[in-house]
Amino acid sequence: MNPIFQASSNHRYDTQDFMKIDPMLGTEEDFKNLIKDLHKNRIALILDGVFNHVGADSKYFLSAVTDKTGPYYSWFNFINYPTKYQSWWGEPRFLKSTRVMLTTITSSAGPTAF
């Protein structure tokens, strides 16, 4: 399956929030029901998770460009803070991470990057 996270494009490779399903695709409850129905029929679902870049309008990048001490600043490689940064294939709408980003749903300690 293509990425399902909230994004500003139809392909959703420019994630805004890894913790939200794009409303264009349904709700979290819809997703849970899909998984339940698939598992009943012994079908596994593989999602295309894009965790090494996000969209320029992502909550992670917007936080990083406004707060160097915030939790997401280390996710990005700023060449000249805050206006010049490493991007995916030179496309400024897709911000490349310095490492793979995985946010743990169950973590109360905040964002985690690996």
Side-chain angles (χ1 to χ4, degrees):
M1 230 178 157
N2 281 8
I4 64 168
F5 305 114
Q6 182 179 345
S8 56
S9 67
N10 64 341
H11 55 70
R12 285 175 291 287
Y13 285 98
D14 53 348
T15 300
Q16 293 172 332
D17 190 339
F18 288 115
M19 302 306 288
K20 294 181 181 174
I21 293 175
D22 196 309
M24 180 181 177
L25 301 175
T27 65
E28 188 172 337
E29 189 65 30
D30 294 331
F31 184 66
K32 288 177 182 178
N33 289 333
L34 172 65
I35 298 294
K36 188 172 89 179
D37 290 344
L38 289 172
H39 286 178
K40 269 192 231 177
N41 292 291
R42 302 184 68 185
I43 300 172
L45 176 65
I46 299 172
L47 295 174
D48 185 357
V50 184
F51 300 108
N52 66 343
H53 62 278
V54 297
D57 60 350
S58 75
K59 73 178 197 175
Y60 314 104
F61 183 68
L62 294 175
S63 171
V65 297
T66 58
D67 184 4
K68 283 176 109 171
T69 63
Y72 303 110
Y73 176 79
S74 67
W75 284 19
F76 304 96
N77 182 21
F78 287 96
I79 299 159
N80 186 11
Y81 183 83
T83 57
K84 191 170 181 186
Y85 42 82
Q86 187 176 13
S87 60
W88 190 255
W89 289 91
E91 172 54 59
R93 292 176 300 159
F94 300 100
L95 293 303
K96 190 172 181 184
S97 173
T98 55
R99 51 193 163 171
V100 175
M101 298 176 274
L102 296 175
T103 304
T104 308
I105 294 170
T106 57
S107 173
S108 61
T112 309
F114 298 97

